[in-house]
Amino acid sequence: MYKTKTISIAFKQHNHNACWGNAMQAAQEYCDKHKLKFTPARRKVLELLLSEHRALGAYKILDLLREAGFKSQPPVAYRALEFLVENGFAHKIERLNAFVACTLHGTEHSPTFMICRQCENVAETYSPASNLNLSESAEASGFKIEQTIIEARGVCNSCAKTEIL
Ligand SMILES: [Zn+2]
Ligand SMILES: [Zn+2]
Ligand SMILES: [Zn+2]
């Protein structure tokens, strides 16, 4: 049910303009449909996260907001990020303490991230199998899983090619 082209798009050659435009449009439609306020700050933060398939820390986002002319205080950026995460437009990557735009928005998923340690690009993918294993052992221990996020670190294809072995 997942089109292969949506999987790990970040590490593939793709039309990023279209990718970016579609994601912004989908977010706007989602907000309209669910009567959510897509305020200029929220929109701008999502734009920043979508501009590259890379995770951005809150302070970086704050800097970029200021550069874009937003007289933003930290709470503005944090609230916008909270909104984006709550509504599934973005995910927090704990190991980088940073945020990344969701590339599977609108689908029920437990995100799995592949993080390139060289270029820090982040690809989101979907792995039903690993979740399944987890829920089995969780069930056995009586643990109730509320959220599963898998973060894998490695080297992406294009960095692997340039890496001196
Ligand atoms: Zn893209
Ligand atoms: Zn996602
Ligand atoms: Zn890379």
Side-chain angles (χ1 to χ4, degrees), residues 11 116 118-121 155-156 158-159:
F11 290 148
C116 177
Q118 290 270 22
C119 64
E120 292 199 330
N121 269 16
V155 185
C156 79
S158 55
C159 289

Side-chain angles (χ1 to χ4, degrees), residues 22-152:
N22 290 342
M24 285 309 293
Q25 198 188 333
Q28 181 68 63
E29 282 166 13
Y30 183 91
C31 288
D32 290 346
K33 195 172 154 212
H34 294 84
K35 307 228 177 334
L36 300 166
K37 283 203 193 95
F38 205 25
T39 61
R42 290 168 176 179
R43 167 177 274 278
K44 189 68 203 172
V45 172
L46 184 58
E47 272 180 24
L48 294 170
L49 291 175
L50 283 166
S51 67
E52 281 180 80
H53 293 282
R54 201 172 283 195
L56 295 175
Y59 280 100
K60 180 76 188 159
I61 291 168
L62 200 58
D63 283 348
L64 292 168
L65 276 178
R66 286 206 189 100
E67 273 171 34
F70 282 79
K71 287 191 186 65
S72 66
Q73 301 296 314
V76 175
Y78 287 121
R79 275 200 300 268
L81 284 167
E82 209 173 283
F83 169 85
L84 296 175
V85 170
E86 254 169 40
N87 290 287
F89 297 120
H91 300 294
K92 186 170 185 198
I93 298 188
E94 300 290 342
R95 97 170 283 152
L96 300 176
N97 194 21
F99 299 84
V100 69
C102 176
T103 51
L104 297 166
H105 189 249
T107 59
E108 195 62 46
H109 63 285
S110 293
T112 298
F113 298 109
M114 292 181 284
I115 305 161
C116 177
R117 63 174 161 76
Q118 290 270 22
C119 64
E120 292 199 330
N121 269 16
V122 176
E124 183 177 359
T125 185
Y126 173 81
S127 73
S130 49
N131 295 343
L132 205 75
N133 291 339
L134 239 185
S135 30
E136 271 171 20
S137 46
E139 211 172 288
S141 59
F143 185 84
K144 187 177 165 289
I145 293 180
E146 293 177 334
Q147 192 187 29
T148 313
I149 298 177
I150 298 166
E151 301 175 4

Side-chain angles (χ1 to χ4, degrees), residues 9-10 12-21 50-53 103:
I9 191 167
K12 288 202 183 105
Q13 289 269 1
H14 67 283
N15 180 345
H16 187 61
N17 263 347
C19 159
W20 187 91
L50 283 166
S51 67
E52 281 180 80
H53 293 282
T103 51

